[in-house]
Amino acid sequence: DAGALELKLEHVEVTALLETVAEKLASQIDDRDLTLNIEVGADVSSFVADTKRVEQILSNLLSNAIGFSDRGATIRMGAKKTRGQLQLWVSDQGRGIEPEFQKRAFDRFQSRPVPGGHRGPGLGLAIVKSFVELHEGQVSLLSKINQGTTVLCTFPLDGPGAAQRADVRKTA
């Protein structure tokens, strides 16, 4: 369980992280004749996080997007800063998630068969949620039937526990 994990915090270079995840899944992207666009805000450089866990988050999301995209579709993965936080997202143009399932999409084992043989998100989105929350972040999704899904992960720029670390420095 994620509650037992200890994060190894460091400064994570956002563009390099997104490119690493894209490279690891490049053969799956090519096999399905997909296009991956990586979009990084001009003001985005790094944030404090556990590189391995954030890479797992993005790999799960990108893998889902690949699985739910039709041949020749475009997937977007990106990052932007907003209100002192970093938002990472993966967006597809796939079949979308039914509104009644969206409420449970981040629960464990909420897999469902869909046309084309690909199963629903299953454990992947539950892991994503656990790892994002371990970083004191939030995860949400936007989805419309036959228009696609975007999963948005929001992280504190200075990492989990930043407020407590700042308080300790002030009293030292």
Side-chain angles (χ1 to χ4, degrees):
D1 271 323
L5 284 175
E6 189 171 315
L7 296 175
K8 294 182 174 83
L9 299 176
E10 60 187 337
H11 285 274
V12 178
E13 296 298 324
V14 176
T15 300
L17 174 72
L18 296 175
E19 289 172 351
T20 296
V21 171
E23 287 170 17
K24 287 186 177 185
L25 294 170
S27 65
Q28 292 176 41
I29 292 167
D30 291 343
D31 288 348
R32 296 187 47 90
D33 193 30
L34 301 170
T35 299
L36 175 63
N37 291 337
I38 296 177
E39 305 163 7
V40 180
D43 61 342
V44 173
S45 57
S46 67
F47 73 119
V48 176
D50 183 317
T51 304
K52 181 178 176 183
R53 300 298 169 219
V54 178
E55 189 175 309
Q56 288 175 305
I57 290 166
L58 290 172
S59 292
N60 273 318
L61 296 178
L62 185 54
S63 180
N64 276 351
I66 292 166
F68 286 106
S69 293
D70 293 329
R71 294 188 73 73
T74 298
I75 296 171
R76 295 172 47 234
M77 180 169 61
K80 69 178 181 177
K81 278 187 187 178
T82 180
R83 290 177 269 135
Q85 297 179 314
L86 178 75
Q87 292 184 330
L88 299 175
W89 75 87
V90 176
S91 183
D92 66 54
Q93 301 170 320
R95 61 184 59 89
I97 301 172
E98 298 84 9
E100 63 275 5
F101 186 76
Q102 290 180 32
K103 299 175 187 102
R104 301 185 320 272
F106 293 101
D107 294 346
R108 289 177 180 225
F109 304 113
Q110 287 299 320
S111 181
R112 76 215 187 287
V114 294
H118 192 86
R119 293 194 59 78
L123 192 56
L125 287 180
I127 290 170
V128 165
K129 182 178 186 222
S130 293
F131 286 174
V132 171
E133 289 178 350
L134 197 57
H135 283 86
E136 298 177 2
Q138 297 175 333
V139 64
S140 60
L141 67 82
L142 306 167
S143 186
K144 291 188 177 179
I145 297 299
N146 299 320
Q147 293 182 32
T149 301
T150 299
V151 179
L152 183 65
C153 303
T154 305
F155 297 87
L157 276 172
D158 295 328
Q164 294 88 337
R165 290 193 305 272
D167 289 345
V168 168
R169 283 193 296 269
K170 287 179 189 172
T171 59

